[in-house]
Amino acid sequence: MNHIKNIAKELHNLGLDAMLVTSEPGEFYAMGFHGEGVALITSQECWYYTDSRYIEAANQEITGAHVDVLRSGQSYRQLVMSLVATHNVKKLGFEDEGMNVHQYKLWQEALPGVELVPASDLLTRLRMVKDEEELAVMREAQRITDEAFTEILNYVKPGVTESEIAARLTYIMASKGAQRNSFDPIVASGANGSKPHAVPGLSVIEKGQFVTMDFGCVVGGYCSDMTRTVAVGEPTDEMRLVYDTVLKAQLAGIAAAHGGVTGDVVHNTAAKVIADAGYGEYFGHGFGHSLGIEIHENPRFSPFWTQTIPSGATLSAEPGIYLPGKFGVRIEDVLWLTDEGCVDITASPKDLIIL
């Protein structure tokens, strides 16, 4: 899986002679390869340089590019400088969002006479829309994540710690073929659930608590992400009300999601449900974020995202209510947007589960 041609086609539209790819996510999007190196892409060709640790794998896995090794005494900047001179590159796009000031100065010094043009947006725009291959591996990652949720329900019980549940989730997903976790699993019980990004600890699960589990895995270099909140023992009336409110908000946001919608519209649709129920001050984050090669990408379902979101984008749908000192509830699925609406690629049930 690579997108070298997609990147090459965009160069003319931006007035670029070539694109320099230096970030790990950019490298993987361009060539479908996880390593350490740099790529230079022109409208006609692509060159990829890496060191001896990755060269064998790069030669085996990368297609559509000239692959070469960084030899002793060489630097990536020297190799790119030679290519730039040979191919008369005057305007070179670079990933400004993935490069610090020090790195930028080094590249600037190495490429005299070349205009370095900030061009992270080139890759960002392309990565927003998932093609069939990308969507297929994301569906597979989500399938594994759904199966892990089904299995973990047999393990969530009084006496088990948050950390034990997180470790078991990691094991289950790995045993089913996941390359790694999309992120460190979040497992939060009782009052810890009011922290949206709680870190699993030695808190022991008790009857009468909610347990929120937010987790995902990577397959084929692409992420899954889901959250479910379950009750251990009979929930209180307040717990049921909050859960039902979050679920209604999520369903409202999902119904509003489609290609061409702006992120703020979807977020505000869900937020209104929570506010109307009297919990508006307890929902402080966005309704969702894009994901793919990275777990957090753009675009977003956010009150600040007023741009339209293209069909083919994949975004999470994850409203929550967090009551400090009491509990929290979050429900999260992943949506694939179409012109007509969206497809929910998360299969796990969302009605309140009582263990």
Side-chain angles (χ1 to χ4, degrees), residues 26 40 46 51 58 87 103 105 111 129 132 144 167 194 211 213 218 234 244-245 247 258 263 330 338:
L40 185 79
C46 173
D51 64 41
H87 295 274
Q103 291 167 336
K105 287 181 177 179
L111 301 172
V129 178
E132 291 183 5
I144 291 172
S194 68
V211 178
M213 297 170 285
V218 175
E234 194 64 26
D244 289 346
T245 300
L247 180 55
H258 61 84
R330 183 166 65 257
T338 69

Side-chain angles (χ1 to χ4, degrees), residues 24-347:
E24 183 179 338
E27 175 184 304
F28 186 78
Y29 179 76
M31 289 162 295
F33 180 71
H34 272 306
E36 291 181 17
V38 300
L40 185 79
I41 301 171
T42 69
S43 60
Q44 301 297 321
E45 296 181 89
C46 173
W47 294 264
Y48 177 69
Y49 297 104
T50 189
D51 64 41
S52 59
R53 296 171 298 166
Y54 300 102
I55 188 62
E56 183 178 4
N59 277 316
Q60 292 172 345
E61 297 177 29
I62 296 175
T63 59
H66 305 285
V67 178
D68 205 352
V69 67
L70 180 73
R71 291 172 174 80
S72 178
Q74 290 180 318
S75 73
Y76 291 124
R77 292 183 295 278
Q78 290 172 328
L79 294 172
V80 172
M81 180 172 61
S82 177
L83 285 175
V84 163
T86 301
H87 295 274
N88 196 34
V89 173
K90 299 299 182 185
K91 295 186 72 172
L92 178 63
F94 73 99
E95 294 182 274
D96 52 297
E97 292 180 3
M99 189 177 291
N100 61 38
V101 174
H102 176 67
Q103 291 167 336
Y104 172 74
K105 287 181 177 179
L106 291 176
W107 280 105
Q108 196 174 41
E109 292 169 1
L111 301 172
V114 176
E115 181 184 356
L116 291 175
V117 181
S120 285
D121 188 57
L122 187 161
L123 294 180
T124 299
R125 285 186 292 102
L126 290 174
R127 286 171 57 187
M128 283 184 184
V129 178
K130 272 58 177 182
D131 59 29
E132 291 183 5
E133 283 186 290
E134 291 174 298
L135 186 60
V137 291
M138 290 187 71
R139 285 182 180 276
E140 177 62 13
Q142 188 56 54
R143 183 191 66 78
I144 291 172
T145 308
D146 282 322
E147 289 186 3
F149 175 67
T150 299
E151 290 193 21
I152 202 66
L153 293 179
N154 298 316
Y155 191 75
V156 179
K157 61 187 68 174
V160 176
T161 68
E162 296 169 340
S163 292
E164 287 172 326
I165 295 171
R168 182 59 64 98
L169 281 168
T170 296
Y171 169 76
I172 294 171
M173 291 187 289
S175 70
K176 293 180 178 296
Q179 293 171 294
R180 59 184 183 277
N181 291 335
S182 301
F183 53 92
D184 291 338
I186 296 168
V187 179
S189 61
N192 291 334
S194 68
K195 306 165 190 171
H197 278 192
V199 176
L202 298 180
S203 295
V204 176
I205 309 303
E206 299 177 4
K207 275 194 172 183
Q209 290 183 330
F210 270 146
V211 178
T212 296
M213 297 170 285
D214 187 343
F215 57 101
C217 69
V218 175
V219 172
Y222 284 75
C223 299
S224 65
D225 191 4
M226 69 174 284
T227 307
R228 289 295 184 268
T229 300
V230 300
V232 178
E234 194 64 26
T236 65
D237 290 344
E238 183 183 33
M239 291 166 70
R240 286 182 181 275
L241 174 61
V242 169
Y243 190 95
D244 289 346
T245 300
V246 172
L247 180 55
K248 288 175 182 176
Q250 196 213 32
L251 294 175
I254 291 173
H258 61 84
V261 73
T262 59
D264 59 330
V265 167
V266 177
H267 173 89
N268 292 337
T269 299
K272 184 177 186 304
V273 174
I274 292 174
D276 288 348
Y279 293 102
E281 65 181 294
Y282 302 110
F283 174 37
H285 58 73
F287 181 75
H289 56 86
S290 182
L291 65 158
I293 294 171
E294 297 177 278
I295 191 59
H296 292 112
E297 299 181 352
N298 288 325
R300 296 172 184 265
F301 291 139
S302 157
F304 308 108
W305 195 274
T306 57
Q307 305 98 307
T308 57
I309 298 176
S311 292
T314 50
L315 294 96
S316 67
E318 51 176 308
I321 293 175
Y322 311 95
L323 304 181
K326 290 186 175 181
F327 59 83
V329 174
R330 183 166 65 257
I331 304 170
E332 177 185 19
D333 294 2
V334 172
L335 313 178
W336 175 58
L337 271 56
T338 69
D339 290 338
E340 295 76 29
C342 64
V343 177
D344 190 334
I345 68 172
T346 308

Side-chain angles (χ1 to χ4, degrees), residues 2-14:
N2 74 56
H3 300 92
I4 295 170
K5 292 182 179 178
N6 302 55
I7 297 169
K9 288 178 182 177
E10 291 293 316
L11 298 177
H12 177 74
N13 296 334
L14 297 176

